Amino acid sequence: MALSLDKEFCLRMYKQMLTIRMFEEKAIELFEHNLIRGNVHPCIGQEAVSVGVCSSLRRDDYMLNTHRGHGNCIAKGADLKLMMAELLGKATGYCKGKGGSMHIADFEGGNLGANGIVGGGIPIAVGAGISIQNRGTDQVVACFFGDGATNQGTFHESLNLAALWKLPVVFVCENNLYALSTPVREAISASRISDRAIAYGMPGISLNGNDVIEVYTKTKEAVQRARAGEGPTLLDCITYRFFGHFTGDPGRGITYRPKEEMDEWLNRCPIKQLKERLVQEKIMTEETGKEIEANVKTSIEEGVQFAKESPFPSADEAVQDVFFEMM
Amino acid sequence: MATTVIMPKLGLTMTEGTIEKWLKQEGDRIEKGEPLVEIITEKINFQYESPASGILRKIFHHEGETVPVTTPIAIIAEEGEAVAEVEIAKPEVPVEIPLPAAVQKESREPTKRIFVSPIARRMAQEKGIDLSSIKGSGPMGRIIKMDILKAPGKEVAPAMQRPSERLIPLKGIRRIIAKRMTESFQNVPHFYLSLEIDMTSCLVLHEQLREEMERRTQLRLTLTDLLVKTTASALRDHPIINSRIEGDQIHLIEEINIGVAIALEDGLIVPVIHHADQKSLTEITSTLRDLTHKAKEGKLSLEEVGGGTFTLSNMGMLGIDKFNAIINPPECSILGVGRTVEKPVFHGGEIKVRPMAWFSLSSDHRIVDGATAALFLNQIKKLVENPTFLLI
């Protein structure tokens, strides 16, 4: 199928996916070097979901993130320098170094933050949806969560209210088939997560989460529906994390995932697939590919350098911005 | 560009790691992402993948060595690429690395150089003569052939018997067991209580359940499974045993997670049955079977060996009557179970032959006293002798 999308747009998506991949590889390296305090949950392998979804959003649209959320931040337009600084706990980071890898928020860029609690962001997305409805703007909320979160009460309560009140929310399940080490098939009764939408009277779509074009196209439709006041959609983006649950997961999760399965998914690498397609359709040459890679590498190195050179927050700021203070 | 490979931090609390095995040798070519070295931490074995492509130019730390995280352990560089000699010779070490005991000893006592002719050295070796005990008669006190010939003819000096020893470096799981058990035995004031339990009812129940369970689930019930169930039930009634001490506080733990000691070829591992008190016997059997299988394959995950609140060690199948186990820190107690033996015992005023087994409880005296531990052990006795009470 020939791409009907703009050439520059495709190249931008490719660059973002590559940025996420290389950012995560760098984050793992920094963790191993003991420069990141706190766990890192890399989203390597899931880049197409982040980029496909966020490419269909405007800057003033909102996003709710998860513990495995670096990719979504990058796709929503985060500054790599401020992200790296946050990961390293530096005062120049998005949350002044107090959030770390799992809690990057950037209200100006529409990133309402991530949540270390599984399914914790879903009700917040509904709240943001109510805010949009009350203020009468045409913004949209994209709410990311994993397959494990769809077994939480918050998921069901939130979907129900969002559908009932026709809130402009797109629920995006990053279904990487494992809730830590529990396979979806052992934890979810429905054969497809998208089937769960039926219970709440909203459209539910399962899609190939490793095909960025498919993710983008389907999300675009859901976003249009939300903007038009027609209510929420549940997207079940089936993908796979190539790395383990977190740094230190032996053999990238080999203790609970069959080797054959892992190898098969590696063949379906979203970045490799997009690259092949772009080259085949003459949107990208090997040379531009290399150029993009070099650019990405430089910007990540710049981010690391910025973060390393930044100071830690001073001790007397320890409780600042941590508690809400009534004016 | 040359890449320095470091001891990676693999988990939040990891401070040091042991090099279990280099999968490549100096001079070997390696690609980025290819397995390079097996690292063993307090809890897991981890195959670390190469962070770069090139030639493994230098290995700084060898198998069996334990170093703090971020310590350089090797250098990977392209063929012919100049790697500063300084870089190879003196890796930048962020934290002082404690040298293995043997090395420290040697370096602290510099051996005085002994001047000796080559033939005298060889003869001394053959005759088992310690050269430092000989006064040389050659120039500048050099030991020569004559000195050895004149030396008292002791055939083999005690010091020279050493080569017949075989050395096994403490590494991998052995090293961790050594460290943890020493820590426990030195720091935890252990005390031991034992009693003998009549296994008649338990064996009858085991027989009945085994057939039924096998018919229903194809799982083979063991006595250990039944003991896990019994212990979990007793722990629920004696929450103080399900605890750990931290600083000046005793933490009572809500979850009852029972570790079961499993002997492997190269050591001992204690996978944990989480929420054992909430599991049915079938669930306990299937969980323990799964954990044992994974333990033998070396595939246990961090969660599967962590979070234990009590340990059960059954040495019955190894023919042991009775033993006192060392507490698995930071737990409060460990139960050691011996084999079941038919013995004459008084039963209802008569001497009868009954299957009996010794149960020994080791406890941390900082947390519990004899009387408390005795109540708990008696509760286990009561449940084992009357297993139907488990239904209550």
Side-chain angles (χ1 to χ4, degrees), chain A:
Chain A
M1 186 188 79
L3 281 173
S4 54
L5 299 171
D6 176 61
K7 181 182 157 188
E8 287 305 315
F9 181 75
C10 290
L11 287 175
R12 198 163 69 231
M13 288 205 294
Y14 176 74
K15 185 176 175 183
Q16 276 195 337
M17 285 167 66
L18 203 60
T19 307
I20 296 172
R21 172 75 50 99
M22 291 168 84
F23 183 93
E24 295 294 58
E25 286 170 351
K26 187 51 88 175
I28 294 164
E29 184 189 317
L30 294 171
F31 180 88
E32 287 173 353
H33 280 76
N34 205 14
L35 291 170
I36 294 178
R37 312 298 168 115
N39 267 328
V40 171
H41 300 78
C43 69
I44 292 177
Q46 305 181 184
E47 297 89 349
V49 183
S50 303
V51 172
V53 169
C54 291
S55 296
S56 66
L57 299 176
R58 298 194 312 232
R59 184 163 169 82
D60 68 334
D61 286 334
Y62 297 129
M63 188 249 310
L64 264 300
N65 209 353
T66 71
H67 59 284
R68 196 180 307 287
H70 302 162
N72 298 334
C73 287
I74 292 171
K76 190 72 178 70
D79 183 324
L80 297 185
K81 287 182 180 164
L82 305 196
M83 276 185 75
M84 271 301 178
E86 190 57 42
L87 260 61
L88 268 63
K90 297 301 182 79
T92 51
Y94 266 115
C95 301
K96 302 185 189 173
K98 294 174 197 168
S101 159
M102 278 192 267
H103 304 100
I104 294 174
D106 167 28
F107 293 168
E108 277 169 38
N111 175 357
L112 299 186
N115 212 302
I117 299 166
V118 171
I122 313 177
I124 303 175
V126 174
I130 296 172
S131 154
I132 293 169
Q133 209 173 50
N134 286 346
R135 286 182 286 114
T137 67
D138 69 342
Q139 291 161 287
V140 165
V141 189
C143 175
F144 288 102
F145 47 86
D147 44 273
T150 68
N151 278 347
Q152 296 284 6
T154 53
F155 169 82
H156 297 278
E157 296 177 32
S158 300
L159 260 68
N160 179 51
L161 288 182
L164 180 69
W165 295 330
K166 288 201 180 317
L167 299 178
V169 185
V170 180
F171 295 100
V172 184
C173 180
E174 298 179 280
N175 178 1
N176 61 24
L177 311 182
Y178 289 83
L180 209 169
S181 54
T182 306
V184 161
R185 63 178 182 280
E186 286 181 20
I188 297 179
S189 61
S191 56
R192 295 185 313 176
I193 287 177
S194 57
D195 288 347
R196 294 188 147 180
I198 300 165
Y200 307 107
M202 73 170 78
I205 303 157
S206 286
L207 50 94
N208 177 359
N210 278 23
D211 178 351
V212 70
I213 309 292
E214 184 174 336
V215 177
Y216 170 75
T217 317
K218 294 286 194 276
T219 313
K220 188 88 192 158
E221 288 168 19
V223 167
Q224 275 164 358
R225 242 177 67 77
R227 255 195 241 295
E230 291 166 29
T233 307
L234 172 62
L235 299 177
D236 167 24
C237 306
I238 300 163
T239 181
Y240 204 75
R241 57 172 144 77
F242 294 168
F243 204 77
H245 172 66
F246 51 22
T247 39
D249 197 349
R252 305 177 174 230
I254 191 75
T255 53
Y256 52 87
R257 303 195 293 192
K259 170 124 192 354
E260 304 70 46
E261 179 189 291
M262 288 166 70
D263 287 346
E264 194 194 319
W265 277 97
L266 276 174
N267 277 331
R268 292 188 228 164
C269 170
I271 297 179
K272 195 179 81 181
Q273 280 183 358
L274 180 63
K275 186 179 181 182
E276 281 166 7
R277 196 160 166 191
L278 293 178
V279 169
Q280 193 189 350
E281 303 204 14
K282 300 196 168 38
I283 294 175
M284 185 169 82
T285 60
E286 284 292 336
E287 269 156 52
T288 37
K290 279 191 185 131
E291 212 173 287
I292 291 173
E293 202 173 317
N295 277 338
V296 169
K297 204 170 171 187
T298 310
S299 57
I300 286 170
E301 285 307 332
E302 282 169 2
V304 173
Q305 198 186 348
F306 172 80
K308 282 185 175 169
E309 287 167 359
S310 294
F312 281 109
S314 73
D316 55 355
E317 282 173 35
V319 294
Q320 267 177 34
D321 308 312
V322 176
F323 301 103
F324 179 75
E325 279 168 43
M326 282 288 206
M327 288 313 219

Side-chain angles (χ1 to χ4, degrees), chain B residues 11 27 47 113 123 157 244 246 291 303 312 321 382 387-388:
Chain B
Q47 216 173 56
R113 186 168 170 200
M123 285 169 66
R244 66 163 189 275
E246 231 173 65
L291 291 173
E303 301 148 61
L312 178 70
D321 286 328
K382 193 163 129 188
T388 45

